[in-house]
């Protein structure tokens, strides 16, 4: 069977999402889940909190180390959030868990900024606009 190649699709969880967002904060803990702050790269810009209650996996890397990923979507940038269809990382997850979660609909979310942050989750994130913390510049 031939493998379909990965596709990064722009995801707009709500109208009016700014095109250029960075992630100045990423936190994760057992009780509160995974939280990501996305903020426009200017002092008076908007900010958003992205919450995954129980992500299955996440990874973060500086964009300069993901050039092969970024090059095919360069014409769509800047854009902050993508969903990855036909994800090799989702396949890796199912392989590593011996397929016991194959009945779950696992989605691969990708947040693009100074860092490329990827999250696997069976539940869509909750994204809310927040007051911009003064420490994010």
């Amino acid at each position: 069977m031939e493998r379909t190649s990965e596709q990064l699709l722009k995801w707009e969880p709500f109208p009016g999402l700014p095109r250029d967002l960075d992630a100045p904060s990423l936190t994760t803990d057992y009780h509160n889940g995974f939280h990501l702050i996305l903020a426009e790269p200017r002092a008076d810009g908007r900010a958003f909190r992205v919450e995954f209650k129980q992500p299955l996996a996440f990874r973060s890397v500086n964009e300069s180390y993901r050039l092969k990923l970024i090059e095919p979507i360069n014409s769509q940038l800047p854009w902050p959030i993508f969903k990855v269809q036909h994800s090799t990382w989702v396949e890796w997850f199912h392989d590593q868990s011996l397929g016991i979660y194959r009945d779950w609909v696992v989605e691969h979310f990708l947040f693009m900024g100074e860092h490329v942050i990827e999250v696997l989750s069976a539940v869509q994130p909750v994204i809310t606009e927040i007051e911009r913390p003064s420490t994010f510049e």
Side-chain angles (χ1 to χ4, degrees), residues 53-93:
K53 290 297 179 194
Q54 294 180 322
L56 304 172
F58 72 90
R59 59 188 179 190
S60 173
V61 66
N62 185 282
E63 67 180 339
S64 66
Y65 304 129
R66 295 301 310 268
L67 297 177
K68 185 176 179 180
L69 171 84
I70 294 169
E71 194 273 328
I73 61 164
N74 209 25
S75 65
Q76 298 180 61
L77 298 176
W79 187 254
I81 309 173
F82 293 83
K83 284 187 178 182
V84 182
Q85 287 191 335
H86 313 294
S87 168
T88 56
W89 194 27
V90 169
E91 284 306 311
W92 173 89
F93 170 80

Side-chain angles (χ1 to χ4, degrees), residues 91-110:
E91 284 306 311
W92 173 89
F93 170 80
H94 288 307
D95 179 60
Q96 292 298 305
S97 60
L98 300 177
I100 63 174
Y101 303 109
R102 281 244 180 238
D103 59 334
W104 292 7
V105 178
V106 176
E107 291 190 279
H108 181 174
F109 297 89
L110 187 142

